[in-house]
Amino acid sequence: MVTLYDAKGGIQAGLADYWNGVFQRRATASLKGIQAAVSALTVNILPNTTAFGLDLIIDATVDADLYADQFDTIIISPATKGKLQKQEKNSYVPASQTNIGFDTWAGYKIIVDKTFGDNMSVVARSGALAFGTGTPAGMVPFEVERIANGGNGQGGDILHSRQSVVLHPQGFNYKGGVSPTEAATTGNLAHSGSWELAVDKQYVPFRFFAHDVTGG
């Protein structure tokens, strides 16, 4: 784990990065599920030869009516981010200069994720995902198990880290897992049958839009 995430930060930094990755995978799987459940949230379909830009974001959010101006976050692939860095140098601001912990482009916070591929991006409002963590009764969030005969007789420690988290896209009901179990696995979260729209479309804080990442 140390070599995978942060050798300088040690186990503690590695655990934080590990759980951040778990939470992001659950979040993007849920977004894949709601996109599949409500096709009207995707303003155009692949292939789309229009280059990524503000016009596409405006087209994607205009049907949110009075809430259209509240969209302030984009989820884009590494390839799309790289293109924005090269072609939109005056609009792209790295996290080190924003004071909010995110890179920004044209005022939009950037989250980088490969879940939707290079030709599909997401625009969202702040607070679009409900998120919370806690420690239910009986759960031990952190403990070390000592294996006296581990490590070729030198002894060894096994670190156990547990998180209880609520992560839910606003505006939707989760109907339960569809297969192979009822658990909220990433596969079930990404399935259209796991979600149903609970509010009018204008209140949904997500939109999806296709674009071209190679040209423009």
Side-chain angles (χ1 to χ4, degrees):
M1 176 176 285
V2 174
T3 56
L4 177 62
Y5 291 106
D6 186 352
K8 294 182 180 179
I11 291 294
Q12 185 173 3
L15 280 176
D17 284 347
Y18 167 79
W19 282 113
N20 284 339
V22 171
F23 298 153
Q24 183 162 327
R25 287 191 294 275
R26 291 183 182 179
T28 53
S30 298
L31 295 186
K32 289 286 285 186
I34 67 172
Q35 181 188 22
V38 184
S39 60
L41 295 178
T42 303
V43 296
N44 44 45
I45 59 175
L46 293 169
N48 182 14
T49 58
T50 304
F52 183 100
L54 281 175
D55 285 350
L56 287 179
I57 294 177
I58 293 171
D59 290 343
T61 58
V62 68
D63 65 352
D65 297 335
L66 297 177
Y67 305 96
D69 292 339
Q70 297 179 15
F71 285 80
D72 60 2
T73 303
I74 51 176
I75 303 175
I76 58 177
S77 73
T80 301
K81 177 185 175 182
K83 181 178 179 181
L84 296 180
Q85 286 177 297
K86 291 189 293 184
Q87 296 189 357
E88 303 284 350
K89 294 180 180 179
N90 293 330
S91 298
Y92 182 88
V93 183
S96 60
Q97 299 177 24
T98 64
N99 297 320
I100 59 174
F102 290 91
D103 296 347
T104 67
W105 172 80
Y108 289 86
K109 297 187 290 288
I110 294 174
I111 297 174
V112 179
D113 192 275
K114 298 189 293 184
T115 299
F116 299 92
D118 291 333
N119 298 104
M120 180 70 69
S121 294
V122 185
V123 59
R125 301 201 299 259
S126 291
L129 280 170
F131 179 83
T133 60
T135 305
M139 189 185 87
V140 179
F142 186 89
E143 61 181 318
V144 176
E145 177 185 356
R146 179 66 178 171
I147 307 298
N149 198 38
N152 293 323
Q154 298 296 316
D157 296 326
I158 298 177
L159 178 65
H160 298 269
S161 175
R162 305 177 182 93
Q163 290 273 4
S164 179
V165 60
V166 173
L167 198 158
H168 189 92
Q170 303 279 22
F172 286 83
N173 291 327
Y174 180 68
K175 299 194 297 183
V178 289
S179 68
T181 70
E182 293 301 305
T185 61
T186 54
N188 281 327
L189 292 173
H191 196 285
S192 62
S194 294
W195 302 96
E196 64 179 2
L197 188 62
V199 298
D200 290 338
K201 182 185 174 186
Q202 65 176 321
Y203 302 119
V204 177
F206 304 97
R207 294 295 187 276
F208 306 84
F209 58 98
H211 55 83
D212 179 35
V213 77
T214 60

